[in-house]
Amino acid sequence: MVNDIEDIAHAVEAASAMGLFASPPRILALGEPTHGVDAPLRLRNGLFRQLVEQEGYRTIAVESDCVAGLLVDAHVTTGAGALDDVLEHGFSHGLGVSAAQRELVCWMRAFNDGRPASDQVRFAGFDGPLEMAWAASPRATLTALHRTLTDHVGPGLVPCTAETLDRLLGPDDRWTDPEAMLNPSASFGRSAEARELRLLADDLEALLHSWAPHLIAATSREAFDRARLRARTASGLLRYHRKMADASADRLARLSGLRDEMMAGNLLALAERGPLLVHAHNSHLQRDLSSVRMGGQRLEWWSAGALVHSRLGEEYGFLATAFGTLRHQGVGVPPPDTVEGALYALPAPTFLVSGSEAASVLSATGPVRRTSPYFGYAPLDPAHLARVDGVVFMKDVPED
C-alpha cells in the first residue's frame, strides 16, 4: 500500500502516462490550469511527441477555432501556406503568437515530411469560432456547406438558394457586435432571419447525412468530414447566438455549456478516425461539473470532457496539470493544506502522479481547494482528484 505521495511520483513520459490505464485511451486529454504560459505547452509538446512516436497517436487537437485549424492541418500535412500566416490565421484566442505553438507546428510538419498520408499526424482545433467578447457569423460555415451540397447533390434538393442565405445572413457585423456578449438586446440571435437560418441549417445538415454515400464517393471521406464539421459549427453558432439574445438568469452558464457542447461534438468526430491527443484548460476536460464565478454569480455547466466521458467511458483519459508557483501572475508557494501544497513538498521540478492514488494518500489530511488569485486560473479541486487519471505537476513555472 502506498503511504507517501513521493512513492507515486513518476517522470512525465509516455510510458508513465500509459501506465495509468488498463489500455491506451482513444482520447487522451491533457489539461492546464490557466492559459498564456509557454512552459506547460513545451512540456505538452514533449509528452505528445513521445505519444505519437511510441504509442501511435495520430491527431493532436487544441483549444482553438475548429474551422481555422484546417489551415494548420493543411500546413503540417502538405506544407501549404507560410508558417507565419498559418500561425496568425490558423489559431484563435491569440494562441499563434506562442513560441511553444510554433514549436509544435514545426515538429508536426517535420514528422510528416515524406510519410504516407495514412501515417501522418494531424492537427485540429476543437473549439467553436468563439472568443470571450464575441461569436463569429455563421456565414463562412453555412455558405461552404451550401456550396458542397449544391455542387454534389444538386440544387433541386437543396432547401434554399445561395441568394436566400446571403439575404438572411446580412452583414457580418450584425453577428459579431461585442456588445452582444453582455447586452442581450444587442444580439441578432433572436431575429426572424436567425430563426429561419436555424431551420435551414438543420435541413442542410440532414441532407448532408442522407446523401453521405454519394458525397463520400464523389469527393472523399476527408471532404465529407470537413462538410460535417461546417454543418456542426453552423448549427452550434446559431444556437450560441440565440442564447446571446436571451436575457434569462441562466444566460452565461448556458453559453458556457453550449461552447463545451460544440467542443465535445468535435472531439467525438475526431476520435472516429483514430486515437486522439487533446490539450485545453482543465475546466473543459474534467469529468465533473465545471463552474466559475462571473459577475457575482456562480455559473455551472457540464464540460466537454464530462460529455465525451459519458459517451466513451474508459476510452476517455484525462491528465490535469497543476502549478506550484506562477510568480509573475501572483501565484506564490501553495499552502501546505492544498493538493498543490502537498505536491510542492516533493523535490522534483515536474512529475506525474495517479489521481486516484494521490486522492487516497492525501485523504487523511483532508486537503482544501487552493484559492485562485485571478480569473482563468483554476487550482485542483480535491473533491475531483479521484476522477482524474493523472496529475502533471510543475513546481515552479517560469515567465516566458
Side-chain angles (χ1 to χ4, degrees):
M1 179 177 177
V2 176
N3 295 310
D4 193 298
I5 193 73
E6 192 166 2
D7 295 336
I8 60 171
H10 305 280
V12 184
E13 299 174 345
S16 300
M18 289 296 98
L20 299 172
F21 305 97
S23 59
R26 190 166 188 81
I27 296 180
L28 178 56
L30 173 65
E32 62 178 358
T34 191
H35 291 319
V37 188
D38 264 9
L41 299 185
R42 288 192 291 270
L43 188 69
R44 172 205 66 184
N45 291 352
L47 178 60
F48 280 10
R49 178 172 181 167
Q50 289 183 17
L51 289 165
V52 167
E53 294 175 344
Q54 299 172 22
E55 301 294 335
Y57 284 89
R58 284 297 182 267
T59 300
I60 294 175
V62 304
E63 186 186 337
S64 184
D65 182 338
C66 57
V67 178
L70 297 173
L71 294 173
V72 186
D73 186 54
H75 178 78
V76 301
T77 55
T78 71
L83 176 60
D84 286 345
D85 289 339
V86 168
L87 290 168
E88 180 180 358
H89 300 292
F91 288 89
S92 58
H93 315 323
L95 296 177
V97 302
S98 161
Q101 301 291 11
R102 176 182 288 264
E103 174 189 294
L104 175 67
V105 172
C106 289
W107 171 76
M108 293 177 73
R109 177 68 200 123
F111 179 88
N112 288 335
D113 192 27
R115 288 179 182 268
S118 60
D119 193 39
Q120 290 186 338
V121 61
R122 306 289 300 274
F123 178 91
F126 72 98
D127 202 352
L130 309 168
E131 294 289 350
M132 285 293 291
W134 57 272
S137 163
R139 173 182 296 281
T141 48
L142 269 179
T143 55
L145 174 62
H146 184 275
R147 186 163 53 251
T148 295
L149 293 170
T150 301
D151 289 348
H152 298 290
V153 174
L157 291 175
V158 179
C160 67
T161 65
E163 292 74 21
T164 298
L165 273 186
D166 188 61
R167 174 180 58 80
L168 293 171
L169 287 161
D172 284 348
D173 59 8
R174 67 170 32 165
W175 300 93
T176 58
D177 183 354
E179 287 194 19
M181 182 55 71
L182 296 177
N183 179 9
S185 66
S187 173
F188 190 67
R190 290 210 168 190
S191 64
E193 294 91 338
R195 287 195 296 271
E196 187 171 351
L197 284 167
R198 289 188 73 195
L199 293 173
L200 288 173
D202 184 68
D203 286 343
L204 290 168
E205 186 169 13
L207 181 62
L208 176 74
H209 288 290
S210 66
W211 278 76
H214 170 74
L215 287 163
I216 293 169
T219 58
S220 66
R221 179 73 205 200
E222 185 77 21
F224 179 71
D225 285 343
R226 286 196 298 269
R228 287 174 63 203
L229 169 65
R230 292 185 170 103
R232 286 195 307 275
T233 304
S235 293
L237 280 171
L238 287 164
R239 285 193 294 271
Y240 196 90
H241 280 289
R242 182 179 184 277
K243 194 62 186 177
M244 288 178 75
D246 183 3
S248 63
D250 74 341
R251 177 177 181 270
L252 292 176
R254 185 60 182 137
L255 286 172
S256 298
L258 286 171
R259 180 186 178 196
D260 275 65
E261 285 178 40
M262 294 175 72
M263 289 181 170
N266 288 329
L267 291 177
L268 290 167
L270 289 167
E272 291 175 10
R273 72 185 185 198
L276 170 66
L277 299 170
V278 181
H279 185 260
H281 197 284
N282 288 333
S283 64
H284 292 303
L285 300 176
Q286 65 187 34
R287 292 183 173 93
D288 295 276
L289 195 68
S290 293
S291 65
V292 68
R293 294 202 68 83
M294 185 182 297
Q297 69 178 123
R298 179 181 172 87
L299 312 181
E300 294 183 338
W301 70 97
W302 287 106
S303 72
L307 297 174
V308 170
H309 176 69
S310 72
R311 292 279 298 276
L312 297 186
E314 293 182 358
E315 289 190 285
Y316 177 73
F318 171 45
L319 309 178
T321 296
F323 296 160
T325 69
L326 188 64
R327 297 182 193 277
H328 62 283
Q329 293 284 10
V331 182
V333 174
D337 60 347
T338 64
V339 175
E340 288 87 351
L343 298 175
Y344 193 82
L346 274 62
T350 61
F351 53 87
L352 171 67
V353 297
S354 159
S356 59
E357 289 183 342
S360 177
V361 170
L362 298 177
S363 62
T365 62
V368 299
R369 188 171 189 179
R370 187 181 192 181
T371 300
S372 175
Y374 66 92
F375 181 78
Y377 172 72
L380 289 177
D381 187 339
H384 296 170
L385 193 56
R387 287 173 52 77
V388 174
D389 295 301
V391 177
V392 174
F393 188 71
M394 303 187 70
K395 189 168 184 175
D396 296 295
V397 183
E399 185 173 7
D400 302 322

